[in-house]
Amino acid sequence: MTAAAFGHFLDEGSTGQGYKIRLVESETIGTIGVGEATIPQIRMFNQALGIDENAFIRATQATFKLGIEFAGWKKPGHSYMHAFGDVGRAVGLCAFHHVWSRGVRLGLAGPTHDYCLNDIVAKQDRMHRGRALTAPTVPEMPHAFHFDAGLYARFLRDFAEARGVQRIEGMIDEVLRDGESGDVTALRLASGETVSGDLFIDCSGMRALLIGQALGSPYEDWSHWLPCDRALAVPSARVEHFTPYTRSTAHDAGWQWRIPLQHRTGNGRVYCSAFISDDAAAESLLAHLDAPALDDPRPIRFVTGRRREVWKNNVIAVGLSSGFLEPLESTSIHLIQSAISRILKFMPGKVTAQAERDEYNRQFAFEMERIRDFIVLHYTLNERDEPFWRACREMELPGTLADRIALFREGGHIFRDADELFSEVAWFQVMAGQGIVPARSHGMAEALDVNDLKAWLDTINALYQREASRYPSHADYIARNCAAPAMTMAAA
Ligand SMILES: Cc1cc2nc3c(=O)[nH]c(=O)nc-3n(C[C@H](O)[C@H](O)[C@H](O)COP(=O)(O)OP(=O)(O)OC[C@H]3O[C@@H](n4cnc5c(N)ncnc54)[C@H](O)[C@@H]3O)c2cc1C
């Protein structure tokens, strides 16, 4: 992604700056191979690069994603969705979550599902892009994708190379540094070749070859808030009807993802090794697949947290080298995208100031910490019985998160913090989905006539149900618009 974006935006012709971009990677090591669920911002990335959406879907065996279902997160048998797009409609200046919370206390409102078009459409396994069909007041549905991460990397590699990025296949053996400044001057490859440069983007994954191993930027460990430390990933055979949403199902010491693609389904178990053995996690993962496994589960270990300085000297870490948050809300690929646009905003040259690095690092820390809070939110508000879930319920929360929960629980308030990734609607769906009913609503919601309030809620639901009923099934929609070639499906 980084090489493709730089190749696109920084080619010599368009900037006159003479940027030369070289990408070193090793096929022997390969990529981590997971990372298949995205959020709607990925569309902006592809659009900025001029990538045609249907061509991208075909090339990556992608399906559409309208949200994430959280099954069993509150308690076994319960489920809710964090869907993209809006929930309900404000009444004048009064935000919908206030109207809803009053409606719930009066016994008139259903779950957030009933007032969210994406959620209604997703649960009916349907899909549509563009303007609503039935009424101008019905919103467009934002969407993201599930895709094959290996195919996306391949697609972007071709894209980058076509824009002048030079790809060097090789194993980095040594990172060479300037004795005085400490800056990285070159990479020595196993072949003996050296690759020199002015600015180095460390995309070496969890190895963090430059930012961690060479420059020693410390890693801030967040395991006390997000104690899951292992994952097992396994593909299973394709299913006929691809759900247009990711499913995350809570289990006794972690959770399982299900990501349907056109040619197969991606599955994985994220778990906490202090509460379950690797063998038991693998057995449970395989027992919960909805089609035969196509491989053995592949183990991945991780430590949740972030690199303190992601820009240090002339190295900027992007991707897993900069930190890790479990994929519960599909945020890692977005964090890469966001890092790329931040780097392009700063566009470091041969000389950079500490003030620039400090600001970059501050912006990254803010973004990561707010996403961390959002992920911890899912864990802490559970009512499950297992020891792992009890520990999650009893943990001491980051102060920023504890304050948010209290604001919603006591007064029904949700405020987005500056330009954090997740909006009020996202926080609303998860806090409501995990079971919080605010004790009070905004005065304007309290002042609404009860009949008017009921009519408002019922009308939104009726409009969205009618709209959803006009959409084709997700599988039909793909078959008609963007099915991957059958040859590729057979080969995969
Ligand atoms: C279990 C799990 C599930 C995930 N699910 C999602 C998801 O659903 N959605 C999402 O947005 N994100 C997800 N992620 C995160 C996502 O996988 C990563 O953010 C994304 O794949 C980018 O990884 P990366 O490029 O930083 O690292 P990698 O994919 O590990 O790439 C590292 C690169 O560095 C190269 N390299 C390393 N060492 C050397 C060396 N010595 N010499 C030469 N080259 C070298 C490798 O060859 C490779 O090309 C998930 C992560 C995990 C662990």
Side-chain angles (χ1 to χ4, degrees):
M1 287 175 76
T2 310
F6 283 11
H8 184 72
F9 290 112
L10 302 179
D11 75 295
E12 289 183 45
S14 70
T15 61
Q17 296 280 319
Y19 289 103
K20 187 170 176 204
I21 300 147
R22 283 179 292 175
L23 165 70
V24 183
E25 64 180 340
S26 155
E27 266 171 22
T28 317
I29 296 178
T31 59
I32 193 158
V34 279
E36 306 196 315
T38 57
I39 56 176
Q41 284 82 345
I42 187 80
R43 296 187 64 220
M44 288 194 274
F45 182 79
N46 285 344
Q47 276 163 11
L49 267 53
I51 294 170
D52 174 74
E53 184 161 298
N54 286 345
F56 148 81
I57 292 172
R58 284 189 204 100
T60 61
Q61 297 279 358
T63 63
F64 292 96
K65 174 177 172 185
L66 297 174
I68 307 171
E69 181 189 26
F70 292 98
W73 278 79
K74 182 182 172 208
K75 56 186 175 193
H78 176 271
S79 123
Y80 69 94
M81 190 171 289
H82 167 199
F84 308 134
D86 227 341
V87 176
R89 289 199 110 199
V91 179
L93 290 177
C94 181
F96 180 77
H97 51 264
H98 285 291
V99 179
W100 173 86
S101 60
R102 175 145 185 251
V104 170
R105 286 195 308 278
L106 289 169
L108 300 175
T112 54
H113 163 90
D114 295 356
Y115 314 106
C116 175
L117 182 62
N118 271 54
D119 194 332
I120 291 171
V121 171
K123 291 312 292 280
Q124 294 182 14
D125 288 348
R126 297 175 191 263
M127 185 57 206
H128 171 75
R129 280 177 292 185
R131 296 174 68 147
L133 303 177
T134 54
T137 46
V138 174
E140 267 189 35
M141 293 193 303
H143 65 270
F145 312 99
H146 304 120
F147 59 60
D148 182 316
L151 294 177
Y152 189 48
R154 181 73 235 185
F155 182 81
L156 291 179
R157 172 175 158 185
D158 292 345
F159 179 96
E161 287 186 308
R163 279 150 191 82
V165 173
Q166 185 198 350
R167 181 182 178 280
I168 301 168
E169 169 62 35
M171 183 85 80
I172 299 165
D173 252 2
E174 197 184 349
V175 177
L176 307 174
R177 299 177 64 191
D178 181 87
E180 218 167 281
S181 66
D183 283 1
V184 172
T185 52
L187 309 173
R188 193 186 325 274
L189 309 187
S191 62
E193 182 188 355
T194 55
V195 181
S196 58
D198 297 311
L199 175 71
F200 290 80
I201 310 293
D202 184 347
C203 301
S204 64
M206 290 184 189
R207 287 176 183 80
L209 282 182
L210 281 67
I211 199 78
Q213 292 185 29
L215 297 188
S217 170
Y219 193 80
E220 195 174 300
D221 183 337
W222 288 341
S223 307
H224 49 296
W225 287 314
L226 291 166
C228 286
D229 55 356
R230 291 186 193 181
L232 290 161
V234 70
S236 61
R238 79 187 288 265
V239 288
E240 281 309 317
H241 297 283
F242 337 103
T243 48
Y245 56 91
T246 308
R247 182 176 298 132
S248 158
T249 307
H251 287 283
D252 49 359
W255 59 279
Q256 184 153 330
W257 78 75
R258 178 182 177 282
I259 299 176
L261 309 180
Q262 292 192 40
H263 62 324
R264 60 167 169 78
T265 300
N267 310 274
R269 177 65 65 94
V270 172
Y271 60 100
C272 178
S273 60
F275 289 86
I276 189 171
S277 71
D278 296 335
D279 288 348
E283 201 179 305
S284 176
L285 163 67
L286 294 173
H288 288 90
L289 301 183
D290 56 12
L294 300 176
D295 212 337
D296 292 329
R298 197 163 54 82
I300 300 165
R301 293 187 176 201
F302 54 81
V303 179
T304 297
R306 73 169 175 93
R307 195 75 50 192
R308 283 253 174 76
E309 288 171 282
V310 278
W311 182 359
K312 188 165 165 39
N313 291 82
N314 61 338
V315 172
I316 305 180
V318 173
L320 297 173
S321 59
S322 67
F324 183 74
L325 286 165
E326 62 185 73
L328 190 60
E329 285 282 352
S330 319
T331 42
S332 288
I333 293 172
H334 172 74
L335 283 163
I336 294 173
Q337 180 181 336
S338 159
I340 293 168
S341 71
R342 193 175 300 130
I343 294 171
L344 288 172
K345 268 186 218 152
F346 279 86
M347 207 44 241
K350 285 188 185 175
V351 179
T352 56
Q354 187 58 39
E356 292 172 295
R357 290 190 282 272
D358 289 347
E359 177 57 17
Y360 184 99
N361 290 328
R362 188 197 65 74
Q363 290 183 15
F364 172 76
F366 174 82
E367 184 175 41
M368 283 289 276
E369 284 167 15
R370 291 301 161 277
I371 297 174
R372 174 204 66 200
D373 285 3
F374 191 57
I375 294 175
V376 175
L377 174 72
H378 300 64
Y379 281 100
T380 187
L381 294 178
N382 80 82
E383 297 168 19
R384 295 181 64 102
D385 280 338
E386 299 93 335
F388 168 77
W389 292 97
R390 271 204 299 278
C392 291
R393 202 158 54 229
E394 287 159 9
M395 78 171 69
E396 193 177 331
L397 297 177
T400 40
L401 175 59
D403 291 348
R404 288 221 197 219
I405 295 175
L407 268 172
F408 186 62
R409 202 188 286 284
E410 286 158 32
H413 301 289
I414 308 170
F415 299 103
R416 191 177 196 163
D417 191 356
D419 56 355
E420 70 172 317
L421 175 61
F422 289 105
S423 66
E424 286 94 342
V425 183
W427 285 90
F428 171 38
Q429 289 178 88
V430 176
M431 288 197 280
Q434 293 287 149
I436 299 183
V437 176
R440 286 181 286 121
S441 305
H442 192 280
M444 282 191 267
E446 299 290 358
L448 283 175
D449 175 83
V450 174
N451 292 324
D452 289 348
L453 184 140
K454 182 169 168 20
W456 189 258
L457 294 169
D458 292 350
T459 304
I460 293 171
N461 180 255
L463 280 173
Y464 291 180
Q465 293 287 355
R466 184 180 65 170
E467 176 71 18
S469 71
R470 299 278 301 275
Y471 296 167
S473 80
H474 182 213
D476 283 350
Y477 187 85
I478 288 177
R480 256 184 260 158
N481 295 288
C482 42
M487 290 281 292
T488 324
M489 287 167 66

